[in-house]
Amino acid sequence: MNVNDTEVIFSILERAGYSRTEKMEEADLVIANTCSIRDNAEQRIWGRIEVFHQLRASRPGLIVGIVGCMAERLKDKLLDTHKVDLVVGPDAYRSLPRLLEAVRPDAPQIDVLLSRDETYADITPVRTDRNGISAFISIMRGCNNVCSYCVVPYTRGAERSRDAHSIVREACDVYQKGYKEVTLLGQNVDSYLWKSEIETVTFANLLERVAAIAPDLRVRFATSHPKDISDEVIYTMAAHPNICKHIHLPVQSGSSRMLALMRRKYDREWYLERVAKIREVMPDCGLTTDVIAGFCTETEQDHADTVSLMDQVGFDWAFMFAYSDRPGTLANRTMQDDVPANVKNRRLSEIIDLQNRKSLERYRAQIGKELEVLVEGPSKRDPGMLCGRASNNMMCVFPAAGRSKGSYTTVKVVDCTSATLICE
Ligand code: SAH
Ligand code: SF4
């Protein structure tokens, strides 16, 4: 999501006459696009700001800007203690050129207003990816859920869905430029809903419209919320071969007591039922998840419930985090971050170990299968080989043998690690 926001920012700045440099030492303006989701994401940025200041010492006049969620959350600290020149929140990127005009050494500029309707629908992002094959498209901004641990609703504001036609236009545009895959992005894509005077477009409708652009344009999406992923979406995925069979379905915890405290609005049984439905309709669908270890009051039994859910579902892959108390969230205001750091970390290692074993099992189960992959380019580990993802999102490496980037090819899985399928 932040990558896509950065692409929107590049577009706004290009229109205002700025051009991009690959070398930071050459820049007249350095902007860091920031994330506040966990404390360590913010800590890294404080370190980066020091680097920018050192750069400014040797390059007077350099403008240092902080944009994104940290700008929204920590505007005063950024301006007063860290002396940055520009602080701009996620809904205020259009004001960047105006603010940059006004920046002076003694007059930093700030705009952190959140909006109810900004979706940057008319701005064509300047793609920053290198492969030219796979593009991200934001379909909505903000979030209307209030998961008690999460800072997103405070830093990115209320949920709003982007004009469906502008999304389809952008997907057509990238396809015409040679891209073969689009990933539709939102914090909770299943609650996408766009209405005009003559039509109402749900997420399932939107998926169909994007899938209809071309049979060789793959469609992916993230993130699905377990409480909202509907049968309609599952059947729409199944009906279109070019909608990739992969769902990122963050569970957060396997304990219904924890899920209630987290305000996720589903319980363990609901989650398992959704997984069963997905697998009934699409037996080969890839499933990945996010898990938080050590949320407020989590007991050994709650943790054991998470372990057993992960064991039972068998995710292909998971992002796993120790709970990080975020100022201003409901948990921060009303609960105690009472699981000691060593216990959080031990639980986190246990779920990581389990997931590594599960990933290996899931990848091994692919051996012998034939999969269609979209060729992305040379493999990072072995530039003599190519790599590309299967529909289920598993990364495959295979011999180059005359295949070109952006083409589809069918490979046979002969071996694997816990994160890569080795193919012929
Ligand atoms: N909208 C998505 C998730 C966005 S944040 C969803 O609801 O699933 C990405 C992930 O960061 C979350 O799924 C969660 O696992 C993790 N996360 C969010 N807040 C966190 C916190 N305070 N501490 C640790 N992990 C957190
Ligand atoms: Fe955060 Fe919950 Fe919204 Fe995801 S759905 S962004 S976890 S509040």
Side-chain angles (χ1 to χ4, degrees), residues 225-240:
H225 196 302
K227 80 178 163 66
D228 292 319
I229 186 163
S230 63
D231 288 356
E232 198 194 354
V233 165
I234 297 171
Y235 287 119
T236 304
M237 287 177 74
H240 295 269

Side-chain angles (χ1 to χ4, degrees), residues 133-166:
I133 301 297
S134 184
F136 295 118
I137 300 184
S138 270
I139 64 165
M140 60 209 293
R141 297 184 70 84
C143 182
N144 274 359
N145 296 305
V146 250
C147 301
S148 56
Y149 52 80
C150 184
V151 78
V152 168
Y154 307 94
T155 57
R156 301 188 75 97
E159 179 185 291
R160 61 226 102 116
S161 295
R162 176 177 166 190
D163 178 330
H165 300 287
S166 79

Side-chain angles (χ1 to χ4, degrees), residues 372-389:
E372 184 181 65
V373 298
L374 171 59
V375 181
E376 284 180 20
S379 149
K380 280 203 190 96
R381 288 253 175 87
D382 179 355
M385 303 276 273
L386 290 176
C387 70
R389 285 178 194 279

Side-chain angles (χ1 to χ4, degrees), residues 39-57:
D39 185 51
N40 53 12
E42 291 190 346
Q43 293 309 326
R44 280 205 301 273
I45 292 294
W46 297 125
R48 290 294 281 173
I49 293 176
E50 288 317 305
V51 174
F52 298 158
H53 283 325
Q54 282 162 17
L55 198 66
R56 186 156 63 181

Side-chain angles (χ1 to χ4, degrees), residues 95-113:
S95 57
L96 273 166
R98 179 175 55 76
L99 297 174
L100 281 165
E101 287 286 308
V103 164
R104 299 284 176 278
D106 52 353
Q109 299 294 313
I110 175 167
D111 186 349
V112 290
L113 277 185

Side-chain angles (χ1 to χ4, degrees), residues 5 17 20 38 49 53 80 89 94 121 171 191 193 197 199 214 227 236 293 330 340 357 364-365 387 389 413:
D5 271 19
R20 194 176 157 208
R38 283 169 293 278
I49 293 176
H53 283 325
D80 300 342
R94 284 179 206 269
S191 70
L193 190 68
E197 273 163 20
E199 58 183 343
K227 80 178 163 66
T236 304
L330 193 69
R357 289 198 303 278
R364 274 207 186 120
C387 70
R389 285 178 194 279
V413 186

Side-chain angles (χ1 to χ4, degrees), residues 206-215 217 219 240 242:
L206 181 71
L207 271 180
E208 270 183 329
R209 289 187 188 189
V210 178
I213 291 172
L217 178 68
V219 186
H240 295 269
N242 60 333

